[in-house]
């Protein structure tokens, strides 16, 4: 037994080490100040969209969202309003659905097309079919927001988190985290509060 215990302990350490090494990138993801890698995802109109496509963009409000999560539904009009307010200022919304439609059929591409048409989205609604982009960003929730600001040819992560402090009722919001950050970013200043906790449903990852 005395010889067996060190052996088992070694196996446990090895197993834990392997778990840490093999963790997906999503466990880390982008931090404020990181350069975001460009991506190319399919929009609901069938065309591929990348960050580099919009030459006039000063940045983007990237939001991971979906059709089915109650939190995403509660924030949907607020996301539409963000695009209405900030797209003319050079910061359009780019919405990305990261959910696995095999797990959540309501988040299939066809259902995304219906949703975008029904709600008259004036911004891209992209399907992250491989979930690679969500992993790169470190998104874990729907909705989960990332503000990117252009620095030369790069897009730098300048805010991560929630839209505001009330996921249930927009009329009861006390602090508009994202809009406060945008006011400073549009003025060329860093956001005083650049990170908040995203509130929403967990992303439905593909089964390994």
């Amino acid at each position: 037994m005395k010889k067996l215990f060190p052996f088992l302990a070694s196996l446990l350490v090895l197993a834990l080490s392997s778990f840490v090494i093999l963790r997906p990138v999503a466990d880390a993801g982008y931090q404020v100040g990181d350069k975001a890698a460009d991506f190319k995802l399919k929009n609901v109109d069938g065309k591929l969209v990348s960050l580099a496509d919009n030459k006039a963009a000063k940045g983007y409000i990237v939001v991971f969202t979906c059709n089915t999560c109650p939190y995403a539904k509660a924030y949907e009009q607020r996301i539409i309003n963000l695009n209405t307010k900030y797209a003319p200022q050079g910061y359009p919304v780019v919405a990305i659905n990261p959910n696995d439609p095999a797990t959540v059929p309501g988040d299939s591409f066809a259902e995304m097309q219906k949703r975008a048409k029904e709600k008259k989205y004036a911004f891209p609604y992209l399907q992250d079919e491989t979930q690679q982009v969500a992993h790169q960003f470190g998104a874990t929730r729907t909705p989960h927001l990332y503000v990117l600001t252009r620095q030369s040819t790069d897009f730098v992560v300048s805010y991560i988190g929630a839209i505001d402090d009330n996921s249930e009722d927009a009329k009861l919001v006390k602090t508009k985290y994202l809009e406060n950050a945008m006011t400073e970013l549009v003025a060329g200043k860093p956001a005083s509060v650049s990170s908040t906790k995203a509130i929403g449903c967990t992303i439905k990852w593909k089964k390994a």
Side-chain angles (χ1 to χ4, degrees):
M1 187 65 185
K2 290 182 179 179
K3 292 182 179 178
L4 184 60
F5 180 75
F7 175 70
L8 292 175
S10 299
L11 283 180
L12 179 61
V13 170
L14 179 61
L16 290 174
S17 300
S18 299
F19 174 76
V20 171
I21 292 170
L22 295 176
R23 281 188 312 170
V25 177
D27 288 351
Y30 293 143
Q31 302 297 315
V32 171
D34 288 348
K35 184 176 75 173
D38 204 351
F39 51 75
K40 189 167 285 188
L41 296 175
K42 187 168 69 172
N43 191 17
V44 287
D45 64 2
K47 297 179 180 177
L48 294 176
V49 171
S50 69
L51 297 175
D53 289 343
N54 187 346
K55 306 298 182 187
K58 298 176 182 176
Y60 291 98
I61 300 172
V62 177
V63 53
F64 291 87
T65 187
C66 67
N67 288 5
T68 54
C69 167
Y71 291 95
K73 291 179 179 178
Y75 271 116
E76 186 176 39
Q77 187 57 50
R78 280 175 267 186
I79 292 169
I80 292 171
N81 293 344
L82 287 173
N83 186 68
T84 300
K85 181 173 182 177
Y86 291 108
Q89 299 182 55
Y91 291 83
V93 164
V94 174
I96 300 175
N97 188 331
N99 277 351
D100 176 19
T103 303
V104 191
D107 283 317
S108 69
F109 188 69
E111 292 299 325
M112 288 173 57
Q113 289 177 308
K114 290 180 184 177
R115 191 74 180 181
K117 184 177 182 181
E118 177 186 346
K119 296 297 181 179
K120 299 179 180 178
Y121 288 175
F123 47 82
Y125 188 27
L126 312 177
Q127 184 183 41
D128 186 9
E129 193 170 5
T130 66
Q131 302 183 318
Q132 181 181 353
V133 176
H135 279 297
Q136 283 180 322
F137 274 72
T140 58
R141 303 279 171 177
T142 55
H144 200 156
L145 280 87
Y146 295 76
V147 176
L148 310 180
T149 53
R150 185 191 289 274
Q151 293 185 10
S152 185
T153 57
D154 296 328
F155 287 98
V156 176
V157 179
S158 300
Y159 173 83
I160 301 174
I163 294 176
D164 54 46
D165 65 353
N166 196 313
S167 60
E168 297 181 0
D169 191 341
K171 296 178 182 177
L172 299 179
V173 169
K174 294 180 180 177
T175 304
K176 296 181 177 181
Y177 301 128
L178 187 126
E179 292 199 39
N180 290 345
M182 287 301 300
T183 298
E184 295 174 308
L185 293 171
V186 169
K189 303 175 183 177
S192 301
V193 178
S194 59
S195 181
T196 59
K197 182 180 180 180
I199 303 295
C201 305
T202 56
I203 289 175
K204 305 305 181 286
W205 302 106
K206 294 178 183 291
K207 295 179 180 177

